[in-house]
Amino acid sequence: MILAIVVNPDFVSQPTISLDSVEIDEYQGEKLSSINDFRENSIKGKQNVDINTYHLEVSGLVVKPKNYTYDQVKNFTNYQKVVKLDCVEGWSVNILWEGVLVKDILNDVQPLPQANTIIFYATDGYSTSFPREYVQKNQILMAYKMNNATIPPERGFPFQLVAESKWGYKWIKWINKIEISDNASYQGYWESRGYSNPGNLNEKFLK
């Protein structure tokens, strides 16, 4: 006797799909600002990045130029810490950021000895730069989560730089390229329009 077994497709095991976690408003007893407390001040408005085609180009004065997918970037060791963003417009937000250390990415591509500047570029044409020493000697995050939730498109998905001790215009969003350079005088979008190149919080932001 032949026994026929009919499998209902509804009962076939399906892959698990990860859902965004819920935003938190407190971390280790410290009150956090909300994702919605930011003001929209980007040069071209919200950018919608297709994560299926996204890649992060890391090139310039390096031994091993790379193109990372979103998941490959996230595969670096993950860190989280609370850092306040201060905008030159007079507002600030206190956020729990989660991401990867920029210096881990740099170590992976191996900058050449003459490289002294790290330039970040965004999908909307924005750019800004930092001394290599600032990135190497500090725990600077390239974040993909804020307050335990994936960064939304209006806040910089897939990656926002957490440029601690710097004014908000140095916190570049929608990062899609990192160039390792020897051009210490490089000026980004706002820097070329009269803003301070260092962007230090303890200094005036206008030149």
Side-chain angles (χ1 to χ4, degrees):
M1 180 175 68
I2 298 175
L3 181 64
I5 300 176
V6 178
V7 179
N8 186 332
D10 292 336
F11 293 99
V12 175
S13 177
Q14 298 294 323
T16 301
I17 299 174
S18 296
L19 299 177
D20 286 351
S21 50
V22 177
E23 180 186 9
I24 60 174
D25 59 11
E26 186 176 313
Y27 178 71
Q28 296 183 351
E30 185 171 0
K31 182 66 177 176
L32 302 174
S33 305
S34 169
I35 292 174
N36 297 320
D37 289 339
F38 288 75
R39 297 181 190 175
E40 174 51 55
N41 58 6
S42 51
I43 60 172
K44 293 183 179 178
K46 180 179 72 173
Q47 301 293 298
N48 293 298
V49 176
D50 184 351
I51 207 61
N52 295 310
T53 59
Y54 171 84
H55 69 269
L56 174 69
E57 176 188 340
V58 186
S59 58
L61 299 176
V62 298
V63 176
K64 299 178 179 179
K66 297 281 185 74
N67 278 285
Y68 300 99
T69 65
Y70 176 66
D71 288 335
Q72 286 173 333
V73 175
K74 290 175 63 180
N75 279 340
F76 284 94
T77 303
N78 287 219
Y79 301 86
Q80 61 178 197
K81 61 179 172 179
V82 176
V83 184
K84 185 171 73 167
L85 183 156
D86 292 285
C87 182
V88 299
E89 297 173 344
W91 55 271
S92 63
V93 286
N94 202 43
I95 297 290
L96 172 65
W97 304 94
E98 182 176 339
V100 302
L101 292 177
V102 177
K103 62 183 174 184
D104 284 350
I105 297 175
L106 296 186
N107 291 340
D108 193 46
V109 298
Q110 300 176 27
L112 297 175
Q114 66 268 35
N116 56 25
T117 302
I118 312 300
I119 306 172
F120 293 83
Y121 299 90
T123 57
D124 62 350
Y126 194 87
S127 68
T128 193
S129 66
F130 302 85
R132 177 182 175 183
E133 184 179 34
Y134 166 78
V135 174
Q136 293 283 13
K137 291 188 174 182
N138 295 282
Q139 296 182 328
I140 306 305
L141 292 177
M142 205 165 75
Y144 59 86
K145 279 190 175 184
M146 53 195 305
N147 292 352
N148 207 41
T150 300
I151 290 178
E154 60 271 21
R155 295 279 66 81
F157 178 83
F159 298 108
Q160 149 122 43
L161 192 71
V162 182
E164 56 186 81
S165 77
K166 305 291 184 181
W167 286 108
Y169 65 89
K170 305 293 285 187
W171 293 52
I172 185 171
K173 302 189 286 286
W174 307 296
I175 301 169
N176 66 349
K177 179 181 177 181
I178 302 174
E179 179 185 358
I180 290 77
S181 170
D182 60 359
N183 182 8
S185 60
Y186 177 87
Q187 294 187 334
Y189 181 87
W190 282 117
E191 295 87 340
S192 65
R193 290 162 170 79
Y195 281 52
S196 162
N197 215 27
N200 296 324
L201 279 175
N202 60 350
E203 299 172 355
K204 293 181 179 179
F205 61 85
L206 293 176
K207 297 176 184 177

